[in-house]
């Protein structure tokens, strides 16, 4: 083998590259050259396969990371939507409770106004203090419902609550003989204001029912 190597280097040193290759082929034979070539090809294929596996693994990791990121984003969006839905339900419950309190207060005031009117025709023991206190109930219910009311409606309901308390208190004084005044006119004004406020509350109730 050393003789072959010396022969090769001697040929190359003499400048006969092509001739040297032909001489190598003649000495080693076709089978040996084929063996060397196949070995080189297999080495190249192995390196390419290794590079391909590394690339596939890298892509798989990147894809998994992207998939995990998408899942995390989807879960975050869903959690945010769930929170918003829960808040919307809670706010709707608070609004319904507030409007219901307004309705109950206004309805109770209407009953008491009817009782005052009836007391003019028949002998009834009217508790003016308890009736006047209903103005405070409407005032409190309106204050709690303020976030869910139009500004004009809030102001009108508060105004009626104050007028109701003052009007009923004045009727008590008139009927008790402690003050002079036209009880019919006071009652008519309170009744008119009450109807207006009932319309406001009914509108709020209808709005809530439309959301159901």
């Amino acid at each position: 083998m050393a003789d072959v190597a010396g022969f090769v280097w001697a040929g190359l040193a003499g400048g006969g590259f092509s001739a040297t290759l032909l001489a190598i082929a003649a000495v080693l034979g076709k089978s040996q050259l084929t063996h060397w070539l196949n070995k080189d090809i297999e080495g190249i294929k192995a390196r390419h396969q290794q590079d391909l596996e590394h690339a596939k693994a890298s892509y798989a990791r990147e894809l998994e990371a992207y998939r995990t990121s998408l899942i995390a984003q989807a879960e975050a969006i869903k959690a945010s939507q769930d929170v918003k839905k829960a808040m919307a339900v809670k706010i709707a419950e608070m609004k319904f409770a507030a409007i219901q309190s307004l309705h109950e207060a206004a309805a109770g005031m209407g009953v008491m106004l009817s009782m005052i009117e009836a007391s003019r025709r028949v002998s009834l023991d009217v508790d003016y203090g308890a009736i006047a206190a209903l103005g405070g109930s409407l005032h409190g219910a309106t204050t709690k419902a303020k976030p869910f009311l139009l500004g004009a409606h809030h102001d009108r309901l508060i105004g009626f609550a104050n007028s109701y308390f003052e009007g009923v208190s004045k009727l008590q004084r008139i009927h008790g003989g402690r003050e002079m005044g036209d009880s019919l006119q006071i009652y008519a004004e309170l009744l008119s204001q009450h109807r207006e406020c009932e319309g406001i509350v009914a509108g709020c109730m209808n709005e809530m029912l439309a959301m159901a």
Side-chain angles (χ1 to χ4, degrees):
M1 191 66 183
D3 294 338
V4 173
F7 171 75
V8 171
W9 285 113
L12 292 175
F17 184 75
S18 299
T20 302
L21 290 179
L22 292 174
I24 293 172
V27 173
L28 297 179
K30 181 179 179 181
S31 60
Q32 185 64 37
L33 289 176
T34 302
H35 172 72
W36 285 354
L37 290 174
N38 288 340
K39 186 176 181 181
D40 289 342
I41 291 172
E42 290 299 323
I44 293 172
K45 287 172 62 177
R47 289 194 298 272
H48 282 208
Q49 185 64 32
Q50 186 178 22
D51 292 342
L52 178 61
E53 294 299 326
H54 287 165
K56 287 169 62 177
S58 177
Y59 293 150
R61 288 192 297 270
E62 291 178 1
L63 182 60
E64 180 62 21
Y66 182 63
R67 188 179 73 86
T68 302
S69 174
L70 289 179
I71 292 174
Q73 291 178 19
E75 290 177 347
I77 292 173
K78 183 178 182 300
S80 177
Q81 291 175 341
D82 289 343
V83 170
K84 289 180 180 179
K85 288 179 181 178
M87 290 178 63
V89 170
K90 184 62 176 178
I91 290 173
E93 291 175 348
M94 292 171 62
K95 181 176 181 179
F96 182 81
I99 301 303
Q100 180 67 20
S101 296
L102 279 178
H103 173 71
E104 293 174 354
M109 294 165 78
V111 172
M112 294 299 101
L113 286 174
S114 298
M115 182 178 294
I116 291 174
E117 172 61 16
S119 69
R120 295 178 56 254
R121 297 189 299 270
V122 298
S123 178
L124 291 176
D125 185 14
V126 177
D127 186 350
Y128 283 97
I131 294 175
L134 289 177
S137 298
L138 179 63
H139 195 290
T142 302
T143 300
K144 290 182 179 179
K146 185 176 181 179
F148 312 112
L149 296 173
L150 295 175
H153 289 170
H154 169 268
D155 295 344
R156 188 68 193 91
L157 290 171
I158 289 292
F160 174 60
N162 294 333
S163 296
Y164 177 88
F165 179 83
E166 294 171 1
V168 171
S169 297
K170 189 168 185 176
L171 286 174
Q172 181 180 17
R173 293 192 298 272
I174 292 173
H175 290 173
R178 300 193 304 275
E179 184 176 331
M180 299 294 292
D182 188 344
S183 60
L184 288 177
Q185 181 179 357
I186 295 172
Y187 173 78
E189 290 176 353
L190 290 178
L191 187 61
S192 175
Q193 292 181 49
H194 178 261
R195 287 171 179 167
E196 179 185 354
C197 291
E198 272 194 325
I200 293 174
V201 174
C204 294
M205 291 294 293
N206 291 335
E207 181 182 345
M208 287 294 300
L209 291 175
M211 295 171 58

